[in-house]
C-alpha cells in the first residue's frame, strides 16, 4: 500500500582446487621459507603469464595475509574463492575484509566458512552473533521489532503516538468500496488507545478527518489541538482531466485541522502550497510547531519524491525548502518524522544503499552529517518505512511488509553507547587528522575502521556493558590501544593521545616493545604491526641502517620446536618490514629458540618467561 501511496504522490562455477606443481616450485619454496615478499613476486609472475589458478591465488593471498597487507590479501582472496577453497581460506578472507571495514562482504565469507566448519568454535560464534556494530546496516541492532495487534489483514502504516493515542492509516474499512490499485478499501485515519502494559484498545475511525477518498497519515501538534494530514485533492474537487483515457487525475495534498480541548476535529483547510500539478503528503510537525516536514515531487525535487520543509507562523507559511542531498537522492524519499530534539530526522528511502526496497534512515540536520541506515531489525529485505518515536514513552513505531502485508511494528530501543574517540599528538596536544581508528571486540575482532575527521574524531555505536577497545595508528606515530569503559552511556569519550615515533636507539640495538604473536602462530598481528611500524620509520629515516632481527622463546617446549617457531616468527617479521618498502638487503632475521635466554631461572615465573620471550633488533651497520 505504501508503494501505492508513493505512486499516488507522483502518478560460480566451482572447480577443484589445483595444487602446487612444477610451475609453482620456486614460489612454493620461497613461501615455505617464509620469504613472502619474493614468494608473492613469483606467484604474481605466474598469474600474469596465464598460469594462475585457485592454488596460485590462494598462495598469493596467504603471503599478504601473513604480512598483514590487507588490501592485496583481499584482492587475491577474491580471485582464489572463485574456485572451491578450504574453510580456513574463507575465514582469512573474512578477517581481511573486516580489517578494511567491508563488513557485509566479511559476513558472506564467514557464512561460507561456518557452513564448511560447523563444529569450529569460530563458526559457532558467528552463527550465534554474526553482527557487531551498524556501519551502514545490520551491525548492533538499535531496537527490537515486534508486529503489533493493531494491524489487520489489510494495509496499515504511518503510526505515531501522541500522549496515549496511537494514530495510523488503514485500509480496513470494509464498508467502503475498494480502490482499483490493489483491491483494498480506500485509506482512512484510525486511532487506538495505548495502555501502560503496552497493549492497545480496539481501533476506531477518526470520522471527522476522513473523506470518501484516501486519508492519512497524520501529525499532531504538541498541545494536541492542530493536525496536519494527507488526503486526496479530490477532497476539494481539484484534479486534472485525462480526456484521452476519460480519467480524473488527483494528487495527494496536505490539510490542516484544528480543535479545542480535545474535542472534535474541524475547520479543515488545504495548505496554500498544494497543487494539482504535484503531490504533497506524509507530514511531520516539529514539537515547537514552527516547521512542517513533508514529502513531495514538486519542482526542484532531486528524484521522484523528495523530503521538504516549510516554516509555520500562525496561519502563514514560508516557501517550501528541499532538504538537499544529505537527505534526498535520485530515488524516492518519503515518510519523514522529526524527533523531539528538533534535529534528528527519520525517513524512508529507496535511493540509498539498503537491505532491500525502502529502508529507514536517520540524519542529524544540525550537523551536516550523512544519513545513516538504521539497520536490522528496523530494516529488512522488504519495504520498511514510516518510523516514528515517542520520547516520553521511549517507544518507536514503523511499518513493514516483511510479513506479506503492510503492518505496524513496535520498536523498543536497545541500550547502546556512542564511543567518541579524539586522536591527538601526545607531545603537543595537536589534533591528528586521518589517523586510522579501529574498534575491536573482546575477541580481538576488528569490527570497524575509519579515519579521524577534521576534529580528530571517530564515533562508533556499541552495545552497553560489553568490552571493546580502540586501536589507533598513524604514520610517524606509535600505534596504541585504548580500552573502552563498560557502561550505559549515552556516550564514552576516548582521549587517544599517541606518541610521535621516538624509538630508543643505542649504538648496537633498536629497542621496541614486545612483538606479540598469537599462541603457536607466526603471522604478524595488528598489535605486532603497530610496533614494527616504528622500526620501519627509523629505517626510512636512516637509509644506511642494516638490521638483524633475532627472535627468542622461553624455555617451555622442546628445543627443536622452539627453534622452529622462533625462526618462523623472525622470518615473518623480516617479511613485514620488507613489505613496507624497506630494501631486502637492509634486514635479515633468525630464530634462536631458547638458546639465548635473558634470565636464567628454574623454575621461571611468568614475568621471567615473558622477558625471555622477546625480539631483538641489532644494528649491523649504521
Amino acid at each position: 500500500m505504501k508503494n501505492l501511496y508513493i505512486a499516488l504522490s507522483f502518478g560460480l562455477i566451482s572447480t577443484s582446487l589445483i595444487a602446487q606443481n612444477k610451475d609453482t616450485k620456486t614460489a612454493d619454496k620461497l613461501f615455505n621459507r617464509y620469504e613472502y615478499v619474493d614468494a608473492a613476486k613469483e606467484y604474481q609472475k605466474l598469474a600474469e603469464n596465464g598460469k594462475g589458478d585457485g592454488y596460485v591465488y590462494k598462495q598469493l593471498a596467504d603471503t599478504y595475509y601473513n604480512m598483514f597487507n590487507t588490501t592485496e590479501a583481499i584482492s587475491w582472496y577474491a580471485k582464489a574463492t572463485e574456485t572451491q577453497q578450504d574453510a580456513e581460506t574463507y575465514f582469512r578472507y573474512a578477517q581481511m575484509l573486516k580489517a578494511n571495514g567491508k563488513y557485509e562482504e566479511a559476513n558472506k565469507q564467514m557464512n561460507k566458512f561456518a557452513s564448511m566448519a560447523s563444529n569450529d568454535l569460530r563458526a559457532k560464534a558467528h552463527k550465534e552473533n554474526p553482527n557487531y556494530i551498524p556501519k551502514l546496516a545490520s551491525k548492533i541492532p538499535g531496537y527490537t521489532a515486534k508486529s503489533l495487534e493493531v494491524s489487520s489483514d489489510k494495509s496499515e502504516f504511518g503510526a505515531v503516538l501522541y500522549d496515549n493515542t496511537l494514530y495510523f492509516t488503514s485500509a480496513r474499512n470494509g464498508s467502503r468500496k475498494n480502490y482499483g490499485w490493489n483491491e483494498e478499501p480506500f485509506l482512512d485515519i484510525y486511532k487506538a488507545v495505548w495502555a501502560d502494559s503496552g497493549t492497545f484498545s480496539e481501533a476506531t475511525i477518526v470520522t471527522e478527518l476522513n473523506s470518501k477518498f484516501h486519508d492519512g497519515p497524520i501529525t499532531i501538534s504538541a498541545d494536541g489541538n492542530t493536525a496536519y494530514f494527507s488526503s486526496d485533492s479530490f477532497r476539494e474537487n481539484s484534479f486534472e482531466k485525462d480526456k484521452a483515457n476519460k480519467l480524473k487525475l488527483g494528487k495527494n495534498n496536505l490539510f490542516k485541522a484544528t480543535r479545542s480541548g480535545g474535542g472534535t476535529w474541524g475547520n479543515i483547510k488545504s495548505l496554500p502550497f498544494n497543487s494539482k500539478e504535484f503531490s504533497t503528503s506524509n507530514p511531520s510537525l516539529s514539537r515547537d510547531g514552527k516547521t512542517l516536514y513533508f514529502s513531495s515531487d514538486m519542482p526542484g525535487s532531486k528524484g521522484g519524491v523528495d523530503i521538504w520543509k516549510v516554516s509555520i507562523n500562525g496561519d502563514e507559511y514560508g516557501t517550501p525548502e528541499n532538504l538537499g542531498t544529505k537527505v534526498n537522492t535520485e530515488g524516492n524519499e518519503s515518510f519523514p518524522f522529526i524527533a523531539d530534539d528538533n534535529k534528528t530526522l527519520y525517513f524512508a528511502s529507496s535511493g540509498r544503499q539498503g537491505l532491500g526496497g525502502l529502508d529507514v534512515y536517520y540524519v542529524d540536520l544540525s550537523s551536516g552529517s550523512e544519513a545513516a541506515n538504521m539497520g536490522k531489525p528496523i530494516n529488512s529485505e522488504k519495504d520498511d518505512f514510516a518510523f516514528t518515536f515517542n520520547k516520553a514513552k521511549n517507544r518507536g513505531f514503523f511499518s513493514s511488509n516483511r510479513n506479506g502485508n503492510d503492518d505496524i511494528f513496535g520498536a523498543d530501543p536497545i541500550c547502546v553507547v556512542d564511543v567518541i574517540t579524539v586522536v591527538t599528538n601526545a607531545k603537543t596536544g595537536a589534533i591528528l587528522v586521518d589517523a586510522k581508528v579501529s574498534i575491536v571486540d573482546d575477541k580481538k575482532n576488528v569490527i570497524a575502521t575509519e579515519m579521524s575527521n577534521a576534529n580528530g574524531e571517530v564515533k562508533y555505536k556499541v552495545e552497553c556493558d560489553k568490552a571493546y577497545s580502540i586501536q589507533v595508528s598513524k604514520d610517524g606515530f606509535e600505534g596504541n590501544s585504548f580500552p573502552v569503559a563498560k557502561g550505559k552511556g549515552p556516550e564514552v569519550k576516548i582521549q587517544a593521545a599517541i606518541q610521535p615515533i621516538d624509538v630508543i636507539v643505542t649504538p648496537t640495538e633498536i629497542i621496541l616493545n614486545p612483538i606479540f604473536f598469537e599462541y603457536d602462530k607466526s603471522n604478524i598481528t595488528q598489535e605486532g604491526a603497530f610496533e614494527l611500524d616504528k622500526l620501519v620509520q627509523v629505517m626510512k629515516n636512516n637509509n644506511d641502517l642494516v638490521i638483524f632481527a633475532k627472535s627468542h622463546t622461553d624455555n617451555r617446549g622442546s628445543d627443536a620446536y622452539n627453534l622452529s617457531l622462533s625462526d618462523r616468527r623472525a622470518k615473518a617479521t623480516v617479511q613485514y618490514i620488507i613489505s613496507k618498502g624497506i630494501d631486502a638487503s637492509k634486514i635479515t632475521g633468525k630464530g634462536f629458540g631458547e638458546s639465548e635466554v635473558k634470565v636464567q631461572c628454574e623454575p621461571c615465573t611468568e614475568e621471567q618467561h615473558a622477558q625471555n620471550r622477546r625480539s631483538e633488533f641489532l644494528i649491523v651497520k649504521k
Side-chain angles (χ1 to χ4, degrees):
M1 176 64 75
K2 109 293 311 161
N3 288 329
L4 150 69
Y5 218 67
I6 292 174
L8 287 171
S9 295
F10 60 92
L12 167 199
I13 300 177
S14 296
T15 59
S16 59
L17 180 64
I18 301 174
Q20 52 189 316
N21 53 52
K22 62 181 180 63
D23 292 323
T24 67
K25 184 177 180 180
T26 300
D28 291 335
K29 185 176 181 180
L30 292 166
F31 183 91
N32 293 331
R33 294 205 319 242
Y34 315 110
E35 295 177 19
Y36 299 124
V37 173
D38 289 336
K41 292 177 182 177
E42 291 301 318
Y43 287 125
Q44 187 119 22
K45 288 179 184 177
L46 294 173
E48 292 171 352
N49 292 332
K51 296 181 179 180
D53 54 29
Y55 175 78
V56 170
Y57 301 145
K58 176 188 180 299
Q59 291 297 98
L60 258 172
D62 282 346
T63 60
Y64 288 117
Y65 173 89
N66 288 327
M67 293 186 290
F68 206 73
N69 185 330
T70 58
T71 301
E72 288 295 328
I74 287 171
S75 175
W76 292 108
Y77 278 131
K79 290 188 69 65
T81 53
E82 290 176 1
T83 61
Q84 184 63 42
Q85 298 291 340
D86 62 346
E88 194 66 18
T89 296
Y90 296 101
F91 180 81
R92 289 187 172 195
Y93 188 13
Q95 302 314 299
M96 295 292 96
L97 287 164
K98 285 182 181 179
N100 274 259
K102 298 182 179 181
Y103 310 109
E104 292 183 11
E105 280 299 314
N107 277 346
K108 291 178 183 178
Q109 303 308 319
M110 282 298 294
N111 289 339
K112 293 177 183 177
F113 165 74
S115 69
M116 297 174 69
S118 58
N119 292 325
D120 190 296
L121 292 178
R122 295 169 297 176
K124 292 179 179 179
H126 173 72
K127 289 178 179 178
E128 292 170 359
N129 185 24
N131 303 314
Y132 297 97
I133 300 173
K135 176 70 174 176
L136 293 175
S138 70
K139 297 298 178 251
I140 286 180
Y143 298 83
T144 61
K146 181 182 179 181
S147 182
L148 299 182
E149 68 271 19
V150 295
S151 297
S152 70
D153 61 346
K154 298 296 191 292
S155 293
E156 278 86 25
F157 62 93
V160 59
L161 180 66
Y162 294 114
D163 294 325
N164 289 320
T165 303
L166 185 77
Y167 293 86
F168 61 95
T169 301
S170 175
R172 68 179 66 192
N173 190 349
S175 66
R176 301 177 60 188
K177 68 177 182 179
N178 289 352
Y179 182 66
W181 180 278
N182 60 353
E183 290 304 314
E184 283 195 355
F186 281 79
L187 297 168
D188 282 327
I189 299 171
Y190 280 76
K191 66 179 180 180
V193 178
W194 184 75
D196 289 338
S197 62
T199 60
F200 291 91
S201 68
E202 187 73 24
T204 59
I205 194 166
V206 185
T207 305
E208 63 268 31
L209 292 180
N210 293 310
S211 66
K212 62 181 181 179
F213 306 104
H214 288 298
D215 300 291
I218 188 172
T219 183
I220 299 176
S221 62
D223 64 9
N225 292 325
T226 303
Y228 294 90
F229 64 99
S230 304
S231 187
D232 275 355
S233 61
F234 287 112
R235 187 181 192 118
E236 289 200 325
N237 203 31
S238 174
F239 53 84
E240 289 187 326
K241 292 183 178 180
D242 181 351
K243 294 181 179 179
N245 295 303
K246 298 181 180 180
L247 292 174
K248 294 179 180 180
L249 302 176
K251 297 290 185 180
N252 281 340
N253 279 175
L254 291 176
F255 293 82
K256 176 184 177 181
T258 58
R259 65 180 177 180
S260 60
T264 300
W265 293 105
N267 193 28
I268 298 174
K269 295 180 179 179
S270 174
L271 297 193
F273 49 85
N274 286 332
S275 171
K276 62 181 181 181
E277 296 179 356
F278 56 80
S279 286
T280 54
S281 62
N282 301 323
S284 179
L285 182 65
S286 63
R287 291 295 80 199
D288 61 9
K290 295 180 179 180
T291 308
L292 183 70
Y293 296 84
F294 62 96
S295 57
S296 177
D297 62 335
M298 66 174 59
S301 294
K302 309 294 181 184
V305 171
D306 278 8
I307 295 175
W308 296 71
K309 69 177 181 178
V310 65
S311 62
I312 302 174
N313 184 11
D315 290 329
E316 297 182 356
Y317 299 86
T319 301
E321 299 176 45
N322 189 288
L323 292 193
T325 55
K326 294 293 184 181
V327 173
N328 296 313
T329 69
E330 291 79 8
N332 295 313
E333 280 72 39
S334 192
F335 300 99
F337 175 77
I338 188 68
D340 288 352
D341 62 12
N342 239 18
K343 64 179 184 179
T344 304
L345 181 78
Y346 300 90
F347 63 97
S349 174
S350 65
R352 296 177 176 274
Q353 291 183 330
L355 299 176
L358 287 170
D359 270 20
V360 180
Y361 296 79
Y362 66 95
V363 64
D364 184 343
L365 297 177
S366 68
S367 69
S369 60
E370 297 293 332
N373 188 299
M374 290 191 71
K376 290 185 176 180
I378 300 300
N379 292 319
S380 69
E381 290 73 23
K382 304 297 184 180
D383 284 322
D384 309 286
F385 57 103
F387 181 91
T388 67
F389 192 81
N390 185 298
K391 185 177 180 181
K393 304 294 186 184
N394 198 35
R395 192 83 192 275
F397 302 89
F398 69 100
S399 306
S400 177
N401 67 350
R402 65 188 64 179
N403 294 335
N405 194 46
D406 289 341
D407 288 330
I408 295 171
F409 289 74
D412 293 322
I414 294 173
C415 183
V416 293
V417 177
D418 286 328
V419 178
I420 302 172
T421 302
V422 181
V423 186
T424 59
N425 183 319
K427 285 195 172 181
T428 67
I431 291 294
L432 295 180
V433 179
D434 290 333
K436 184 178 180 181
V437 180
S438 301
I439 189 160
V440 181
D441 68 11
D442 58 354
K443 297 180 177 62
K444 295 188 176 182
N445 292 310
V446 176
I447 307 306
T449 299
E450 290 189 11
M451 309 304 287
S452 59
N453 63 19
N455 297 318
E457 290 185 351
V458 171
K459 182 167 77 172
Y460 292 115
K461 196 176 291 290
V462 301
E463 288 189 57
C464 296
D465 296 325
K466 285 195 174 182
Y468 297 91
S469 62
I470 294 290
Q471 292 180 346
V472 182
S473 63
K474 183 176 174 63
D475 286 346
F477 289 81
E478 297 181 13
N480 205 350
S481 182
F482 303 86
V484 178
K486 292 183 180 180
K488 296 188 181 301
E491 66 181 32
V492 175
K493 285 198 172 182
I494 304 294
Q495 299 297 332
I498 55 177
Q499 294 284 349
I501 288 180
D502 188 13
V503 181
I504 299 175
V505 181
T506 73
T508 59
E509 186 178 1
I510 295 175
I511 301 175
L512 304 178
N513 291 322
I515 308 300
F516 292 108
F517 292 87
E518 294 181 13
Y519 176 72
D520 200 31
K521 293 184 179 180
S522 59
N523 60 282
I524 301 299
T525 64
Q526 177 81 68
E527 293 90 341
F530 278 161
E531 200 63 26
L532 289 174
D533 283 343
K534 299 179 188 178
L535 177 59
V536 171
Q537 193 70 36
V538 171
M539 297 184 73
K540 285 183 176 179
N541 292 340
N542 188 341
N543 291 330
D544 293 330
L545 270 181
V546 178
I547 300 298
F548 179 53
K550 299 176 67 176
S551 178
H552 306 273
T553 67
D554 55 38
N555 59 10
R556 291 177 287 194
S558 69
D559 290 354
Y561 175 81
N562 285 338
L563 185 62
S564 175
L565 178 61
S566 65
D567 198 51
R568 294 198 304 273
R569 289 175 170 176
K571 286 182 167 61
T573 297
V574 169
Q575 293 296 301
Y576 179 85
I577 299 300
I578 296 172
S579 75
K580 291 294 183 175
I582 301 300
D583 191 281
S585 65
K586 301 294 184 180
I587 184 165
T588 55
K590 184 178 179 181
F592 288 80
E594 58 182 273
S595 64
E596 295 184 2
V597 294
K598 188 173 184 178
V599 180
Q600 293 287 349
C601 51
E602 187 60 45
C604 297
T605 65
E606 285 301 320
E607 181 180 353
Q608 290 170 326
H609 280 310
Q611 291 181 61
N612 286 330
R613 193 171 57 246
R614 68 199 189 280
S615 295
E616 296 174 314
F617 300 94
L618 306 184
I619 299 174
V620 177
K621 178 183 176 183
K622 289 188 177 181

